[in-house]
Amino acid sequence: MSRDVWNGAGRRIHLQEVGMRDGLQNEAAFVPTGEKIALVDALTQAGFGRIEVTAFVSPAAVPALRDAEIVMREIARREGTLYGALVPNVRGAERAIDARADELNLVMSASETHNLCNLRMTRQQSVAALSEVIAFARPGGTGINVSLSCSFGCPMEGDVAAGEVLDLAACFIDQGVQGITLCDTTGMAHPRQVAPLVAAFRQRWPGTLLTLHFHNTRGMGLANVLAAIDAGADHFDTAFGGLGGCPYAPGASGNVCTEEVVHALELMGYDTGIELAGVLAAAARLPALIGHETPSQIVKAGRRLDLHPPPPGFEALRERVAARSR
Ligand code: COA
Ligand code: ZN
């Protein structure tokens, strides 16, 4: 790693908040629609340039997001923030465009086995299906991003060759999509793997938006973010509270946690444009809504300089210790 990565020197790093989609899709509790809208509005206020608001998938497959239309329609939009949604097929694209989504996030897996489990299609069938969605949505001007799950490994197959990931990316970039997200769906990525894949992508497609989507399943999330930054990436998906996880991936757990990433990057001199206090306040509302604690370390421990008063009796302790040396 070059020394530069430790000194952000004001460099802008863009975070897309994905907790409302990647996070809530994985929760057993149904967060009431009004609460979802209030959370998105709070995230907007915290300054995100991009928010993945929901998913227009089959309500039977992901009941937690069955209110996608209402949420997408009723959030308070801020100019300069892009409100996206995950979409699996043309039906989802129609629904999302109707509800005024700014960007469609299409998804397929770089791994054949995971694609079959998650989407019930071969990769080839998925490419054909997503190409149909692109042909449907592009003429209307809605932005399109393609997320490639398991780009850094599949929990059932193991390593996925970088060449296969780049070939899939090529297939969509050739169709004119604006962005590609390389997803580490089950936290298998590690820094030495992340750096060359990001560098290869950046070199081949300097004009395509590249987003990295890491899960912290094995504690390597922040290390992977730094490795990706060092290799030229500047867009990341993160989830407040550290929520997240694919319901169809064994052992999956939370995305890299927004407040942890903002906290760390700002200390290193990067500029995320995110107001940390606003994210923390939103994350603090989650346990009551989802019925359990979140993995967020910053919610638990506070920011680095959120200081604590010394324990009761501290003054007396100080006196006693001082008396000993008199
Ligand atoms: N929105 C709403 N309903 C949809 C839909 C969409 N985008 N796509 C399909 N459906 C409905 C169909 O109408 C059908 O409903 P019915 O049973 O009442 O007739 C049902 O879902 C099944 O549709 P089908 O086309 O046979 O698809 P499938 O059963 O093979 O399911 C997916 C494929 C991808 C649509 C479905 O599995 C899905 O939405 N999965 C979500 C996966 C996901 O979000 N994973 C986490 C993110 S990585
Ligand atoms: Zn994810």
Side-chain angles (χ1 to χ4, degrees):
M1 201 179 276
S2 76
R3 280 199 349 237
D4 275 347
V5 76
W6 303 114
N7 179 6
R11 182 173 158 202
R12 187 61 179 251
I13 300 294
H14 304 267
L15 303 184
Q16 166 165 247
E17 174 53 60
V18 298
M20 297 302 299
R21 194 279 298 172
D22 205 334
L24 296 190
Q25 77 182 9
N26 205 31
E27 294 297 331
F30 179 80
V31 173
T33 306
E35 301 283 358
K36 286 188 181 121
I37 293 166
L39 283 172
V40 175
D41 290 350
L43 296 166
T44 294
Q45 291 300 319
F48 289 92
R50 287 170 174 265
I51 300 175
E52 190 168 39
V53 174
T54 185
F56 291 87
V57 296
S58 153
V62 185
L65 301 180
R66 62 177 182 264
D67 53 2
E69 268 87 357
I70 309 178
V71 177
M72 189 52 107
R73 284 216 181 91
E74 297 195 0
I75 51 175
R77 295 175 187 232
R78 184 186 73 135
E79 206 174 312
T81 298
L82 193 145
Y83 298 90
L86 184 135
V87 154
N89 50 20
V90 172
R91 170 89 191 281
E94 278 171 347
R95 293 174 56 207
I97 292 169
D98 253 21
R100 301 199 297 119
D102 298 319
E103 184 176 85
L104 310 183
N105 185 20
L106 314 187
V107 60
M108 68 168 288
S109 185
S111 141
E112 187 74 10
T113 309
H114 183 257
N115 203 65
L116 279 165
C117 298
N118 191 26
L119 299 173
R120 302 175 206 185
M121 284 187 254
T122 64
R123 282 179 298 180
Q124 207 181 357
Q125 286 166 336
S126 271
V127 169
L130 297 190
S131 302
E132 232 184 282
V133 181
I134 294 167
F136 170 82
R138 262 197 77 204
T142 308
I144 301 173
N145 183 82
V146 176
S147 281
L148 300 174
S149 315
C150 297
S151 284
F152 300 91
C154 165
M156 294 161 283
E157 285 184 19
D159 280 323
V160 174
E164 282 186 47
V165 176
L166 294 175
D167 284 350
L168 275 175
C171 165
F172 294 112
I173 291 168
D174 290 347
Q175 295 181 58
V177 305
Q178 282 79 14
I180 297 285
T181 303
L182 301 181
C183 302
D184 182 26
T185 312
T186 63
M188 294 172 74
H190 58 87
R192 282 185 67 184
Q193 174 197 31
V194 167
L197 189 55
V198 168
F201 190 107
R202 284 265 59 96
Q203 191 179 16
R204 187 155 160 197
W205 297 292
T208 300
L209 181 67
L210 168 66
T211 302
L212 280 301
H213 176 112
F214 294 119
H215 281 257
N216 202 29
T217 315
R218 293 179 176 81
M220 291 188 280
L222 186 56
N224 287 329
V225 169
L226 293 177
I229 289 175
D230 199 33
D234 58 2
H235 280 75
F236 296 90
D237 285 350
T238 62
F240 68 132
L243 295 184
C246 173
Y248 300 93
S253 68
N255 287 83
V256 282
C257 171
T258 304
E259 53 271 27
E260 289 176 16
V261 172
V262 170
H263 180 260
L265 292 184
E266 297 279 343
L267 286 172
M268 295 170 73
Y270 292 95
D271 170 20
T272 62
I274 308 293
E275 193 218 333
L276 186 54
V279 181
L280 282 169
R285 280 150 70 178
L286 288 170
L289 295 171
I290 59 179
H292 60 84
E293 292 299 312
T294 67
S296 171
Q297 282 300 124
I298 308 291
V299 166
K300 292 190 191 89
R303 289 163 291 196
R304 178 172 168 271
L305 291 178
D306 289 347
L307 302 182
H308 305 269
F314 177 76
E315 278 313 316
L317 171 70
R318 193 209 294 274
E319 290 296 317
R320 275 204 312 279
V321 171
R324 261 188 242 145
S325 62
R326 264 181 224 137

Short mmCIF file of all heavy atoms in Angstrom, two decimals, residues 21 25 55-62 86 88-93 95 107 114 118-121 149 185 246-248, ligand 1:
data_model
loop_
_atom_site.label_atom_id
_atom_site.label_comp_id
_atom_site.label_asym_id
_atom_site.label_seq_id
_atom_site.Cartn_x
_atom_site.Cartn_y
_atom_site.Cartn_z
N ARG A 21 -32.18 -0.82 1.65
CA ARG A 21 -32.44 -1.94 0.74
C ARG A 21 -31.67 -3.18 1.21
O ARG A 21 -32.27 -4.15 1.65
CB ARG A 21 -32.04 -1.53 -0.69
CG ARG A 21 -32.56 -2.48 -1.77
CD ARG A 21 -31.74 -3.74 -1.95
NE ARG A 21 -30.37 -3.48 -2.36
CZ ARG A 21 -29.44 -4.42 -2.43
NH1 ARG A 21 -29.72 -5.67 -2.12
NH2 ARG A 21 -28.20 -4.12 -2.79
N GLN A 25 -33.93 -5.74 3.59
CA GLN A 25 -34.36 -6.96 2.87
C GLN A 25 -34.06 -8.21 3.70
O GLN A 25 -34.65 -9.26 3.50
CB GLN A 25 -33.65 -7.07 1.52
CG GLN A 25 -32.20 -7.55 1.60
CD GLN A 25 -31.48 -7.61 0.27
OE1 GLN A 25 -31.99 -7.15 -0.73
NE2 GLN A 25 -30.30 -8.19 0.25
N ALA A 55 -36.34 -1.97 -3.01
CA ALA A 55 -36.19 -2.91 -4.12
C ALA A 55 -37.56 -3.22 -4.70
O ALA A 55 -38.51 -3.48 -3.95
CB ALA A 55 -35.52 -4.20 -3.65
N PHE A 56 -37.65 -3.18 -6.02
CA PHE A 56 -38.91 -3.53 -6.69
C PHE A 56 -38.83 -4.98 -7.15
O PHE A 56 -38.74 -5.27 -8.33
CB PHE A 56 -39.17 -2.55 -7.85
CG PHE A 56 -39.48 -1.17 -7.36
CD1 PHE A 56 -38.47 -0.25 -7.11
CD2 PHE A 56 -40.80 -0.80 -7.12
CE1 PHE A 56 -38.77 1.02 -6.64
CE2 PHE A 56 -41.11 0.47 -6.64
CZ PHE A 56 -40.09 1.38 -6.40
N VAL A 57 -38.82 -5.87 -6.16
CA VAL A 57 -38.72 -7.31 -6.40
C VAL A 57 -40.07 -7.94 -6.07
O VAL A 57 -41.02 -7.25 -5.68
CB VAL A 57 -37.59 -7.93 -5.55
CG1 VAL A 57 -36.24 -7.36 -5.96
CG2 VAL A 57 -37.82 -7.69 -4.07
N SER A 58 -40.14 -9.26 -6.21
CA SER A 58 -41.39 -9.94 -5.87
C SER A 58 -41.65 -9.80 -4.37
O SER A 58 -40.79 -10.12 -3.56
CB SER A 58 -41.27 -11.41 -6.27
OG SER A 58 -42.11 -12.18 -5.44
N PRO A 59 -42.85 -9.33 -4.00
CA PRO A 59 -43.14 -9.17 -2.56
C PRO A 59 -43.15 -10.51 -1.83
O PRO A 59 -42.94 -10.55 -0.62
CB PRO A 59 -44.53 -8.52 -2.54
CG PRO A 59 -45.08 -8.63 -3.91
CD PRO A 59 -43.94 -8.89 -4.86
N ALA A 60 -43.33 -11.59 -2.57
CA ALA A 60 -43.26 -12.90 -1.92
C ALA A 60 -41.80 -13.24 -1.60
O ALA A 60 -41.51 -13.86 -0.58
CB ALA A 60 -43.87 -13.97 -2.83
N ALA A 61 -40.88 -12.82 -2.47
CA ALA A 61 -39.46 -13.11 -2.25
C ALA A 61 -38.87 -12.25 -1.12
O ALA A 61 -38.07 -12.72 -0.32
CB ALA A 61 -38.66 -12.91 -3.53
N VAL A 62 -39.25 -10.97 -1.06
CA VAL A 62 -38.72 -10.05 -0.04
C VAL A 62 -39.88 -9.24 0.56
O VAL A 62 -40.10 -8.08 0.22
CB VAL A 62 -37.65 -9.10 -0.64
CG1 VAL A 62 -37.01 -8.25 0.46
CG2 VAL A 62 -36.55 -9.88 -1.38
N LEU A 86 -33.23 -1.24 -6.31
CA LEU A 86 -32.84 -2.50 -6.93
C LEU A 86 -34.03 -3.06 -7.73
O LEU A 86 -35.17 -2.98 -7.29
CB LEU A 86 -32.42 -3.51 -5.86
CG LEU A 86 -31.89 -4.83 -6.39
CD1 LEU A 86 -30.64 -5.23 -5.64
CD2 LEU A 86 -32.93 -5.93 -6.27
N PRO A 88 -35.04 -6.47 -10.38
CA PRO A 88 -34.56 -7.74 -10.91
C PRO A 88 -35.00 -8.04 -12.35
O PRO A 88 -34.43 -8.92 -12.99
CB PRO A 88 -35.19 -8.78 -9.97
CG PRO A 88 -36.48 -8.15 -9.57
CD PRO A 88 -36.29 -6.65 -9.62
N ASN A 89 -36.03 -7.33 -12.82
CA ASN A 89 -36.59 -7.69 -14.14
C ASN A 89 -37.39 -6.51 -14.71
O ASN A 89 -37.49 -5.45 -14.06
CB ASN A 89 -37.49 -8.94 -13.99
CG ASN A 89 -38.50 -8.80 -12.85
OD1 ASN A 89 -38.82 -7.69 -12.42
ND2 ASN A 89 -39.00 -9.91 -12.36
N VAL A 90 -37.98 -6.68 -15.90
CA VAL A 90 -38.71 -5.58 -16.56
C VAL A 90 -39.88 -5.13 -15.69
O VAL A 90 -40.15 -3.93 -15.55
CB VAL A 90 -39.19 -5.99 -17.97
CG1 VAL A 90 -40.11 -4.92 -18.56
CG2 VAL A 90 -38.00 -6.20 -18.90
N ARG A 91 -40.55 -6.09 -15.07
CA ARG A 91 -41.65 -5.76 -14.17
C ARG A 91 -41.19 -4.80 -13.06
O ARG A 91 -41.85 -3.80 -12.76
CB ARG A 91 -42.17 -7.08 -13.59
CG ARG A 91 -43.15 -6.98 -12.48
CD ARG A 91 -44.58 -6.90 -13.00
NE ARG A 91 -45.48 -6.53 -11.93
CZ ARG A 91 -45.93 -7.38 -11.00
NH1 ARG A 91 -45.58 -8.66 -11.05
NH2 ARG A 91 -46.74 -6.97 -10.05
N GLY A 92 -40.04 -5.10 -12.48
CA GLY A 92 -39.49 -4.24 -11.43
C GLY A 92 -39.12 -2.87 -12.00
O GLY A 92 -39.32 -1.84 -11.34
N ALA A 93 -38.57 -2.85 -13.22
CA ALA A 93 -38.18 -1.57 -13.83
C ALA A 93 -39.41 -0.70 -14.07
O ALA A 93 -39.39 0.51 -13.80
CB ALA A 93 -37.45 -1.83 -15.14
N ARG A 95 -42.22 -0.74 -12.42
CA ARG A 95 -42.69 -0.25 -11.11
C ARG A 95 -41.79 0.88 -10.61
O ARG A 95 -42.27 1.90 -10.11
CB ARG A 95 -42.70 -1.39 -10.08
CG ARG A 95 -43.72 -2.48 -10.36
CD ARG A 95 -43.57 -3.64 -9.36
NE ARG A 95 -43.66 -3.22 -7.97
CZ ARG A 95 -43.09 -3.85 -6.94
NH1 ARG A 95 -42.36 -4.94 -7.15
NH2 ARG A 95 -43.22 -3.40 -5.72
N VAL A 107 -29.27 -6.45 -10.85
CA VAL A 107 -28.36 -7.32 -10.12
C VAL A 107 -28.31 -8.72 -10.71
O VAL A 107 -29.33 -9.26 -11.14
CB VAL A 107 -28.73 -7.34 -8.61
CG1 VAL A 107 -30.14 -7.84 -8.39
CG2 VAL A 107 -27.74 -8.15 -7.80
N HIS A 114 -24.55 -19.10 -7.18
CA HIS A 114 -25.26 -18.07 -6.42
C HIS A 114 -26.36 -17.44 -7.26
O HIS A 114 -27.45 -17.14 -6.76
CB HIS A 114 -24.28 -17.01 -5.91
CG HIS A 114 -24.93 -15.96 -5.06
ND1 HIS A 114 -25.23 -14.71 -5.54
CD2 HIS A 114 -25.39 -15.99 -3.78
CE1 HIS A 114 -25.82 -14.00 -4.57
NE2 HIS A 114 -25.93 -14.76 -3.51
N ASN A 118 -30.18 -17.27 -6.04
CA ASN A 118 -30.75 -15.96 -5.73
C ASN A 118 -31.81 -15.57 -6.75
O ASN A 118 -32.85 -15.01 -6.40
CB ASN A 118 -29.62 -14.91 -5.70
CG ASN A 118 -30.08 -13.58 -5.13
OD1 ASN A 118 -31.01 -13.53 -4.33
ND2 ASN A 118 -29.43 -12.52 -5.53
N LEU A 119 -31.54 -15.84 -8.02
CA LEU A 119 -32.41 -15.31 -9.09
C LEU A 119 -33.08 -16.41 -9.91
O LEU A 119 -33.85 -16.12 -10.83
CB LEU A 119 -31.59 -14.38 -10.01
CG LEU A 119 -30.98 -13.17 -9.30
CD1 LEU A 119 -30.05 -12.41 -10.22
CD2 LEU A 119 -32.07 -12.24 -8.76
N ARG A 120 -32.77 -17.64 -9.63
CA ARG A 120 -33.38 -18.79 -10.33
C ARG A 120 -33.15 -18.72 -11.84
O ARG A 120 -34.05 -19.00 -12.64
CB ARG A 120 -34.88 -18.86 -10.04
CG ARG A 120 -35.14 -18.97 -8.55
CD ARG A 120 -36.60 -18.93 -8.26
NE ARG A 120 -36.83 -18.44 -6.91
CZ ARG A 120 -38.00 -18.39 -6.33
NH1 ARG A 120 -39.07 -18.80 -6.96
NH2 ARG A 120 -38.12 -17.94 -5.10
N MET A 121 -31.94 -18.28 -12.22
CA MET A 121 -31.57 -18.24 -13.63
C MET A 121 -30.10 -18.60 -13.75
O MET A 121 -29.33 -18.41 -12.79
CB MET A 121 -31.75 -16.82 -14.19
CG MET A 121 -33.18 -16.42 -14.45
SD MET A 121 -33.24 -14.83 -15.29
CE MET A 121 -33.78 -13.79 -13.96
N SER A 149 -22.98 -9.47 -7.94
CA SER A 149 -22.79 -10.12 -6.64
C SER A 149 -21.64 -11.12 -6.72
O SER A 149 -21.32 -11.62 -7.79
CB SER A 149 -24.04 -10.91 -6.23
OG SER A 149 -25.20 -10.18 -6.46
N THR A 185 -20.55 -9.94 -1.73
CA THR A 185 -21.83 -10.28 -1.10
C THR A 185 -21.67 -10.99 0.24
O THR A 185 -22.47 -10.79 1.15
CB THR A 185 -22.64 -11.15 -2.08
OG1 THR A 185 -22.59 -10.50 -3.35
CG2 THR A 185 -24.07 -11.34 -1.65
N CYS A 246 -27.43 -10.72 2.10
CA CYS A 246 -28.30 -11.35 1.11
C CYS A 246 -28.99 -12.55 1.75
O CYS A 246 -28.34 -13.43 2.30
CB CYS A 246 -27.46 -11.81 -0.07
SG CYS A 246 -28.40 -12.77 -1.25
N PRO A 247 -30.34 -12.61 1.67
CA PRO A 247 -31.04 -13.73 2.29
C PRO A 247 -30.72 -15.07 1.62
O PRO A 247 -31.01 -16.12 2.18
CB PRO A 247 -32.53 -13.37 2.13
CG PRO A 247 -32.61 -12.15 1.29
CD PRO A 247 -31.25 -11.59 1.11
N TYR A 248 -30.12 -15.03 0.43
CA TYR A 248 -29.83 -16.28 -0.28
C TYR A 248 -28.35 -16.63 -0.27
O TYR A 248 -27.89 -17.39 -1.10
CB TYR A 248 -30.35 -16.19 -1.72
CG TYR A 248 -31.84 -15.97 -1.75
CD1 TYR A 248 -32.37 -14.69 -1.83
CD2 TYR A 248 -32.72 -17.04 -1.64
CE1 TYR A 248 -33.75 -14.47 -1.81
CE2 TYR A 248 -34.09 -16.85 -1.62
CZ TYR A 248 -34.59 -15.56 -1.71
OH TYR A 248 -35.96 -15.35 -1.68
N1 COA B 1 -42.24 -7.07 -8.77
C1 COA B 1 -43.34 -7.63 -8.26
N2 COA B 1 -43.67 -8.92 -8.44
C2 COA B 1 -42.85 -9.65 -9.21
C3 COA B 1 -41.68 -9.11 -9.78
C4 COA B 1 -41.39 -7.76 -9.53
N3 COA B 1 -40.30 -7.20 -10.00
N4 COA B 1 -41.08 -10.08 -10.49
C5 COA B 1 -41.83 -11.18 -10.36
N5 COA B 1 -42.89 -10.93 -9.59
C6 COA B 1 -43.93 -11.86 -9.16
C7 COA B 1 -44.63 -12.50 -10.30
O1 COA B 1 -45.72 -11.71 -10.70
C8 COA B 1 -45.07 -13.81 -9.70
O2 COA B 1 -46.19 -13.56 -8.85
P1 COA B 1 -47.37 -14.64 -8.70
O3 COA B 1 -46.71 -15.86 -8.10
O4 COA B 1 -48.31 -13.96 -7.77
O5 COA B 1 -47.85 -14.86 -10.09
C9 COA B 1 -43.90 -14.17 -8.78
O6 COA B 1 -43.28 -12.93 -8.48
C10 COA B 1 -42.91 -15.10 -9.43
O7 COA B 1 -42.53 -14.58 -10.68
P2 COA B 1 -41.56 -15.32 -11.69
O8 COA B 1 -41.43 -14.47 -12.89
O9 COA B 1 -42.01 -16.75 -11.87
O10 COA B 1 -40.18 -15.27 -11.01
P3 COA B 1 -39.46 -16.24 -9.99
O11 COA B 1 -40.37 -16.95 -9.06
O12 COA B 1 -38.49 -17.04 -10.76
O13 COA B 1 -38.71 -15.15 -9.12
C11 COA B 1 -37.50 -13.06 -8.99
C12 COA B 1 -37.66 -14.38 -9.67
C13 COA B 1 -36.10 -12.57 -9.25
C14 COA B 1 -38.53 -12.09 -9.53
C15 COA B 1 -37.75 -13.20 -7.47
O14 COA B 1 -37.06 -14.34 -6.99
C16 COA B 1 -37.29 -12.00 -6.71
O15 COA B 1 -37.86 -10.93 -6.78
N6 COA B 1 -36.21 -12.16 -5.94
C17 COA B 1 -35.62 -11.09 -5.20
C18 COA B 1 -34.20 -11.46 -4.97
C19 COA B 1 -33.56 -10.43 -4.12
O16 COA B 1 -33.99 -9.31 -3.96
N7 COA B 1 -32.44 -10.82 -3.52
C20 COA B 1 -31.71 -9.98 -2.69
C21 COA B 1 -30.95 -8.95 -3.46
S1 COA B 1 -29.43 -9.52 -4.08
#
